Amino acid sequence: MTEQEIYYTIALTRMTGFNPQTALLLYQEMGSAQAVYEHREDIGDILPDCSPRTAEALRYWDDALKRAAAEMEFIGAHGIQALTLNDARYPARLRECPDAPVIIYYMGNADLNQRRIINIVGTRRCTTYGQDLIKRFVRELKELCPEVLIVSGLAYGVDICAHREALANGLSTIGVLAHGLDTIYPGHHRDTARQMVVQGGLLTEYMSQTEPFANNFRQRNRIVAGMSDATVVVESAYKGGALITARIAQEYGRDVLAFPGAVGAPYSEGCNNLIRDNKAGLITSASDFVSAVGWPTTAQQQKTAAPVERQLFPNLTPQEQAIVTLLQQTNDLQQNILAVKTNIPMGQLTALLFQLEMKGVVKALAGGTYHLLA
């Protein structure tokens, strides 16, 4: 991605008042932020759905471009990656969401398109029960599926416990922030954040000098949900940010799992209600989780099953064979990655993958991932 495009994308977020839907609509319709800028005088003619107010506002970019130039200097000086929607490093799962940010700022070394990504969320008043659940869950998950990226919000309680347990067990972990990367909130978590940059990373849609306003936390929840295959709720009161994340994940078509708690326990009420209302699957362990989302464990992958002879499969078309060949090289790939690497249009690829499932050649896993069975 060119610096020029990053520059105009940063400015676009300012021009649209940090409204992700508006920025995303303009970006997708025009193909790039630079194209939006170049057509600033006639954007209303090109995009009839663009409101007159927005079209008029998009005519004047001077202040936004000055702020974008300052932000470019900041990210360059601090080793921050600015990933626009068209960047291959941008989280592919998040790109699928209808309110994805057009740019994110990232500091770290974890692959944001890792094969397996989950988020662990819950109350900021995590009890000893919740802490014990997280410790056991992360430890067991590392044993069952060692290559998992754990995402949370770096907040007090469940979030920071999840990050620290991931670090302690050698798993990469990402903190999604509700402010710019020029600060850490809460400050007590600064040391953990430094470790995460080395073993994971920090990510935000907000440019520097952005304060952690209340609405920003609600907005960042969609990134936590959107970049993950599944949401795990550990403890939650009747209301709270974790339930917002769970709702968004469900709207995105992602798996939602929750640990139950004692009836009447104030910080288990939200989890119990999710399970009762069939908005989350009940889990009591990492084994339950892995089974629920359909991930093969390390032990299962290491089993030396007799190879399935290719002639037992129905004849494959050239395009089906291209998919199988790619999965033989790198198994468990997401559909959008398959589309890019095979150069097959998404609609056609969906039909081909369905046919391969019917033939018993591939299996669909959580998060739009496909596993070659032979």
Side-chain angles (χ1 to χ4, degrees), residues 121-127 130 134 155-160 233-237 239-242 266-268 271:
V121 295
T123 178
R124 298 190 181 199
R125 296 177 175 83
C126 188
T127 68
I134 296 168
Y156 288 111
V158 168
D159 287 19
I160 195 63
V233 188
V234 176
E235 282 189 306
S236 175
K239 293 181 179 180
Y267 296 113
S268 289
C271 290

Side-chain angles (χ1 to χ4, degrees), residues 38 47 78 86 92 128 150 164 181 191 193 238 280 293 305 331 364 367:
E38 291 171 350
L47 300 177
H78 293 85
N86 290 336
T128 301
I150 293 181
R164 288 171 176 164
L181 287 171
D191 288 344
Y238 178 72
V293 298
N331 207 353

Side-chain angles (χ1 to χ4, degrees), residues 20 104 112 221 300 346:
I104 56 174
L112 301 179
N221 288 344
Q300 290 170 336
M346 187 63 75

Side-chain angles (χ1 to χ4, degrees), residues 72-223:
M72 291 286 287
E73 289 185 17
F74 173 78
I75 63 178
H78 293 85
I80 295 169
Q81 302 173 56
L83 308 179
T84 64
L85 203 65
N86 290 336
D87 194 311
R89 297 167 298 170
Y90 187 99
R93 298 165 178 83
L94 182 60
R95 187 186 290 118
E96 299 170 357
C97 302
D99 51 0
V102 295
I103 189 169
I104 56 174
Y105 305 96
Y106 176 50
M107 183 184 294
N109 56 16
D111 180 2
L112 301 179
N113 288 300
Q114 193 161 313
R115 185 169 63 177
R116 296 173 181 142
I117 304 178
I118 69 168
N119 68 73
I120 300 176
V121 295
T123 178
R124 298 190 181 199
R125 296 177 175 83
C126 188
T127 68
T128 301
Y129 167 72
Q131 293 171 23
D132 290 343
L133 283 179
I134 296 168
K135 287 180 181 179
R136 188 175 75 247
F137 176 78
V138 175
R139 184 179 66 249
E140 292 176 354
L141 187 63
K142 171 65 182 295
E143 294 173 358
L144 293 170
C145 300
E147 297 180 358
V148 178
L149 176 62
I150 293 181
V151 178
S152 200
L154 202 71
Y156 288 111
V158 168
D159 287 19
I160 195 63
C161 187
H163 291 309
R164 288 171 176 164
E165 289 305 316
L167 293 170
N169 284 276
L171 294 174
S172 295
T173 182
I174 295 287
V176 183
L177 309 182
H179 50 77
L181 287 171
D182 54 331
T183 188
I184 293 296
Y185 177 85
H188 290 297
H189 297 165
R190 190 170 286 110
D191 288 344
T192 301
R194 290 195 186 100
Q195 296 177 53
M196 291 167 64
V197 171
V198 178
Q199 189 178 319
L202 303 175
L203 182 154
T204 184
E205 67 180 307
Y206 298 106
M207 61 181 65
S208 61
Q209 301 177 38
T210 302
E211 297 295 325
F213 297 116
N215 188 59
N216 294 2
F217 289 94
R218 290 188 287 271
Q219 285 284 88
R220 72 95 187 271
N221 288 344
R222 80 189 196 286
I223 298 178

